[in-house]
Amino acid sequence: MRKHLAPVAAEPTAADLAAIETEWPLIAAELDVLDAEITMLYAEDHGGPSPLDWRRLRRAEARVTRAAADLTAHPTPHRAA
């Protein structure tokens, strides 16, 4: 039996785009952490991560913490679902 699915909008709404823009610093910081983690994984094949790799990861994690704190300190109005 096929269930009826809610229709999906073809494009994001203005509210969706505004929410993404508001959260973009956190998204970018999380992407930096992911990139640093990938670098660490590749470094395992070449003798292990260097102190610079560890520092890069710590700084990226700190950026995530700051971006999350900024986002929570300046909440945006909730969108209607």
Side-chain angles (χ1 to χ4, degrees):
M1 174 187 259
R2 186 172 187 185
K3 295 182 179 186
H4 295 283
L5 301 175
V8 176
E11 298 180 11
T13 65
D16 292 336
L17 294 174
I20 291 169
E21 186 174 339
T22 300
E23 294 177 16
W24 188 252
L26 178 59
I27 294 167
E30 289 173 338
L31 288 172
D32 289 343
V33 169
L34 180 62
D35 189 46
E37 289 173 340
I38 290 169
T39 300
M40 299 282 280
L41 289 172
Y42 281 126
E44 288 295 328
D45 295 338
H46 297 62
S50 70
L52 186 60
D53 293 330
W54 285 107
R55 187 163 137 201
R56 182 175 176 221
L57 179 62
R58 284 192 310 271
R59 285 183 174 185
E61 290 171 340
R63 278 193 300 275
V64 167
T65 303
R66 284 192 307 271
D70 288 345
L71 193 59
T72 355
H74 305 101
T76 58
H78 291 80
R79 295 186 301 149

